[in-house]
Amino acid sequence: MIAEKMTMRDAFIEEVCRRMASDPALVFLSADLGSPKLDTLRSDYPDRFINVGIAEQNLVNVAAGYALEGFTVYAYAIAPFLVMRAYEQIRNNLSLLSHTHRVNVNLVGVGSGLSYDVSGPTHHGVEDISLMRLLPKMTVFSPSDWVLAERFVDYTIDVRSPKYLRFDGKPTVNLYDRNAVIDLHSGFSTLAEGSGVCIVSTGYMTHTALRAAEKISQSGIRIGVVDVFLIKPLPEQALYDVLRKYRSVITVEEAFVGKGGLDTLVANILAAGGSDIRLSRMGFGDSYVFTMGVRERLHELNGLGEKQITEEVFRMLAKG
Amino acid sequence: MTDHERNQLTGFLRDKARWVRSETLKIHRIAQETRIASSLSAVEIFVALFYGNIVAHDPKNPRWEGRDRLIISKGHGSISFYPILADLGYFDKQELFRVCKEGSFLGGIPDPLIPGYESVNGSLGHGLGVSCGMAAALKRKNREETVFALIGDGELYEGSVWEAIMFGGEHRLDNLIAIIDNNGACMLDYCKNVLDLDPIDQKFSAFRWQARTVDGHDLAKLHTALLDLKNDRSGRPKVLIANTVKGKGVPALEGDPLSHIRNIPPDRIDAAIRGLK
């Protein structure tokens, strides 16, 4: 596999731009957020790109209006602003309206987790998984790399209902092979198989989880790593069938623990299966992160570092 | 249109407005949850739009592509639109006797399940932005239809409305007409006592809209203004400020700053209907 560093947004937007050439129904709206590949898109398709200004509420409402007229709409903004400033617009004009009308709006939020590390808590996206999976008929896509992001363009065109795409703000190396067959509807991938303990992670944390698993393998122990990229709709039984082979599951996410994120999703799946699998949840406690520092350091200070994940794996293994 | 034809049309519209008020009061009798005062101020606006042939539409095909779009952002205040939709054939008139009852699709606040409603309307401040998106999309498709957005004056307190006003002016959406049911009151008081909105027309003009003010109960003037605005495609979105009276037609409501939350008890509905002019 060729490993290359790229931002999810650039991989995604470049592919959208390619599709715009043959699909006149695609329009791209931004709340004044850019990217290098977006510069190409807006110069190639000035009549199908609109910067609505720093106005997330109107971004979503205008997107809904376009979608009601049959367009496939991309609405692009910084993740926490998009999700939380415009939450009622998303609820009423996307989620609720899609019960009676076709509303293909793809909310593209950039800055999941702590990707805007030193910008501080206003820019951290730690609530979006919980908030967006709450909404009926909303698809929630949380890729761990740019290959998944690029592939998801097909899904945005084929599945004609509202979606939230949570993209990392920083370039990341790909975990998936660009030439591989990936079924996005499957919702998750088993990136490592093992026994005893399985880490379930989403987004950026899958990179950290894989590093922890690699380190642990040096002790001759192989653990499982499952990357959940489609938070909703997630084929829950299929995930349960993978997890039931393990004694313990550890969820790892850049989100608050116990508040409806990935951990809650996995806990519900385990409970529904009636399993006695032990569950450990790793994420942020009931507090925002103010400390300055690079992302890995902030993770470490908040119990989400590679070292702490490794320790937690050994703790769970010790329980047998 | 000759003077004679215009007089005939106005007489016809007046008859319809009286009938719509009467039917709206009958709905309120069985569905006391409905916002009667806010629905009565908008009667002439709906009547002019639909019986005055301003809005192109097809009751047999509510999503006909050639229809003019009407977004009713002040959804709570559009119970008076129910009898019009039934009368025009969007659904059976018997449905009007089931408003808010189990199994009915006609609620105290209309939702997009109702044929003839285009969007979600229960929360204020959303409709103008959605209308802007529709109007921009229609232009993109090179279509000629008009988008009408009915909003309340109290709704102008919502910041998202001003995001949409900025957008509409910038993008020269001359296929968009905002109609403000300027009944002067929100829930707890007259708007002038809360945050005075005047002058509304100058605020829109400053954002590059064409603004026009009209007596929202004068059907002849209202009809003419709507027709003029619909035909005007001079590069600016248009706003029609329709000065109305909240609770129009029912003396017990007119002039009451709290009319928004007043009900007319079921046993007084007949008297209210008899009192309609």
Side-chain angles (χ1 to χ4, degrees), chain B:
Chain B
M1 204 184 285
T2 66
D3 285 354
H4 177 66
E5 284 167 341
R6 176 152 291 289
N7 288 339
Q8 268 195 323
L9 174 65
T10 306
F12 167 71
L13 294 178
R14 271 196 204 116
D15 289 345
K16 284 293 183 188
R18 194 178 305 112
W19 176 78
V20 168
R21 273 210 168 78
S22 163
E23 292 302 304
T24 306
L25 285 163
K26 288 180 195 166
I27 292 171
H28 185 63
R29 171 158 50 203
I30 61 160
Q32 288 272 294
E33 305 89 339
T34 50
R35 294 297 189 195
I36 188 66
S38 183
S39 294
L40 290 174
S41 65
V43 166
E44 279 78 10
I45 296 170
F46 289 125
V47 166
L49 285 172
F50 281 83
Y51 294 108
N53 289 323
I54 304 284
V55 171
H57 69 112
D58 179 1
K60 297 290 162 241
N61 183 9
R63 296 192 192 179
W64 168 48
E65 199 177 8
R67 74 193 186 283
D68 290 323
R69 279 66 164 161
L70 171 64
I71 299 281
I72 303 173
S73 199
K74 52 160 287 184
H76 62 276
S78 70
I79 303 306
S80 45
F81 192 40
Y82 289 180
I84 296 174
L85 287 171
D87 186 39
L88 294 173
Y90 279 84
F91 49 78
D92 195 309
K93 278 187 182 170
Q94 291 302 312
E95 293 294 336
L96 299 176
F97 300 106
R98 303 206 299 144
V99 174
C100 291
K101 305 294 175 235
E102 186 177 325
S104 174
F105 56 81
L106 298 171
I109 288 174
D111 61 43
L113 291 169
I114 305 172
Y117 277 87
E118 303 267 2
S119 64
V120 175
N121 325 283
S123 172
L124 295 173
H126 294 271
L128 195 59
V130 174
S131 302
C132 282
M134 284 179 129
L138 287 169
K139 279 192 174 285
R140 177 96 280 285
K141 294 194 283 186
N142 292 315
R143 297 199 60 96
E144 296 294 318
E145 294 81 9
T146 299
V147 180
F148 294 90
L150 178 62
I151 61 184
D153 54 338
E155 186 174 356
L156 296 173
Y157 291 140
E158 294 281 5
S160 54
V161 177
W162 296 94
E163 292 184 3
I165 293 169
M166 265 189 278
F167 182 93
E170 176 64 33
H171 289 277
R172 308 170 71 86
L173 299 177
D174 57 8
N175 55 348
L176 171 63
I177 302 175
I179 304 167
I180 298 183
D181 180 1
N182 190 27
N183 62 30
C186 44
M187 188 143 79
L188 290 185
D189 205 341
Y190 293 121
C191 292
K192 63 177 162 49
N193 298 333
V194 181
L195 301 166
D196 195 352
L197 290 157
D198 280 337
I200 295 174
D201 56 345
Q202 289 179 32
K203 291 183 172 74
F204 274 88
S205 303
F207 287 106
R208 292 186 247 158
W209 286 56
Q210 183 186 157
R212 187 160 163 175
T213 303
V214 71
D215 177 342
H217 298 303
D218 183 327
L219 280 157
K221 287 180 181 156
L222 192 57
H223 185 264
T224 304
L226 286 167
L227 201 58
D228 287 352
L229 290 178
K230 186 179 177 184
N231 291 331
D232 185 320
R233 292 283 172 108
S234 55
R236 281 185 298 169
K238 296 150 282 185
V239 58
L240 182 64
I241 300 156
N243 291 328
T244 57
V245 174
K246 202 154 177 170
K248 177 70 177 178
V250 178
L253 298 174
E254 289 185 21
D256 179 351
L258 289 173
S259 67
H260 190 89
I261 47 177
R262 297 278 190 237
N263 284 356
I264 305 168
D267 61 356
R268 299 211 191 135
I269 294 287
D270 282 339
I273 291 173
R274 279 196 303 275
L276 292 174
K277 292 203 181 73

Side-chain angles (χ1 to χ4, degrees), chain A:
Chain A
M1 182 177 84
I2 301 161
E4 194 183 337
K5 243 186 172 188
M6 206 190 291
T7 58
M8 293 175 186
R9 54 175 152 175
D10 273 339
F12 180 82
I13 290 169
E14 191 169 26
E15 184 60 22
V16 170
C17 195
R18 256 196 297 275
R19 301 304 178 89
M20 285 174 90
S22 59
D23 189 344
L26 307 188
V27 295
F28 201 104
L29 314 177
S30 169
D32 202 37
L33 180 66
S35 99
K37 297 295 178 192
L38 191 58
D39 292 341
T40 310
L41 185 150
R42 61 195 180 129
S43 74
D44 286 0
Y45 301 100
D47 50 356
R48 281 190 279 154
F49 170 84
I50 299 178
N51 183 353
V52 304
I54 308 161
E56 290 79 9
Q57 300 174 74
N58 202 43
L59 172 77
V60 173
N61 285 351
V62 168
Y66 267 97
L68 285 172
E69 292 298 330
F71 286 91
T72 296
V73 191
Y74 300 94
Y76 181 69
I78 292 179
F81 310 157
L82 177 61
V83 170
M84 287 176 279
R85 173 67 68 94
Y87 196 62
E88 201 210 19
Q89 280 76 15
I90 294 169
R91 171 184 180 264
N92 285 3
N93 299 322
L94 304 185
S95 170
L96 209 163
L97 188 57
S98 68
H99 288 64
T100 57
H101 290 67
R102 277 205 170 151
V103 187
N104 188 9
V105 172
N106 299 279
L107 301 166
V108 184
V110 176
S112 57
L114 302 192
S115 40
Y116 291 129
D117 41 19
V118 296
S119 297
T122 57
H123 285 59
H124 295 165
V126 286
E127 304 91 343
D128 54 346
I129 296 177
S130 310
L131 290 171
M132 297 308 282
R133 69 178 279 260
L134 182 62
L135 297 174
K137 307 212 184 295
M138 180 66 67
T139 293
V140 181
F141 178 58
S142 174
S144 55
D145 80 351
W146 59 266
V147 170
L148 289 175
E150 182 184 63
R151 291 293 179 85
F152 199 70
V153 174
D154 276 336
Y155 194 108
T156 65
I157 294 167
D158 296 344
V159 180
R160 306 198 63 73
S161 53
K163 304 170 209 76
Y164 173 61
L165 290 57
R166 68 187 298 266
F167 284 174
D168 210 87
K170 298 271 167 65
T172 46
V173 72
N174 52 310
L175 302 175
Y176 292 81
D177 187 338
R178 206 177 182 187
N179 301 312
V181 177
I182 305 168
D183 175 15
L184 290 168
H185 294 271
S186 73
F188 66 92
S189 288
T190 303
L191 298 182
E193 285 188 77
S195 60
V197 172
C198 184
I199 298 176
V200 181
S201 55
T202 191
Y204 182 85
M205 293 316 294
T206 296
H207 295 259
T208 317
L210 284 170
R211 283 203 310 274
E214 174 65 29
K215 184 147 288 174
I216 292 161
S217 74
Q218 290 165 11
S219 324
I221 298 164
R222 295 177 60 83
I223 62 163
V225 176
V226 168
D227 178 39
V228 175
F229 48 77
L230 202 57
I231 300 281
K232 187 171 175 246
L234 176 65
E236 301 192 355
Q237 184 62 45
L239 180 56
Y240 182 69
D241 289 340
V242 169
L243 298 183
R244 65 193 301 179
K245 296 171 203 143
Y246 296 90
R247 281 296 299 130
S248 303
V249 167
I250 303 173
T251 57
V252 180
E253 63 195 307
E254 284 180 302
F256 294 123
V257 160
K259 292 184 178 174
L262 179 69
D263 65 328
T264 308
L265 178 58
V266 171
N268 290 349
I269 291 170
L270 295 181
S275 84
D276 57 356
I277 297 169
R278 277 191 291 265
L279 176 65
S280 169
R281 308 160 187 240
M282 299 187 75
F284 300 113
D286 192 35
S287 172
Y288 283 105
V289 175
F290 287 88
T291 326
M292 283 302 119
V294 297
R295 193 180 198 171
E296 301 299 343
R297 179 68 183 141
L298 296 182
H299 286 168
E300 213 174 283
L301 290 170
N302 289 278
L304 256 187
E306 178 193 321
K307 187 161 165 280
Q308 288 135 321
I309 295 170
T310 307
E311 286 166 5
E312 184 63 13
V313 169
F314 280 117
R315 199 163 24 247
M316 298 308 271
L317 284 169
K319 291 185 180 174

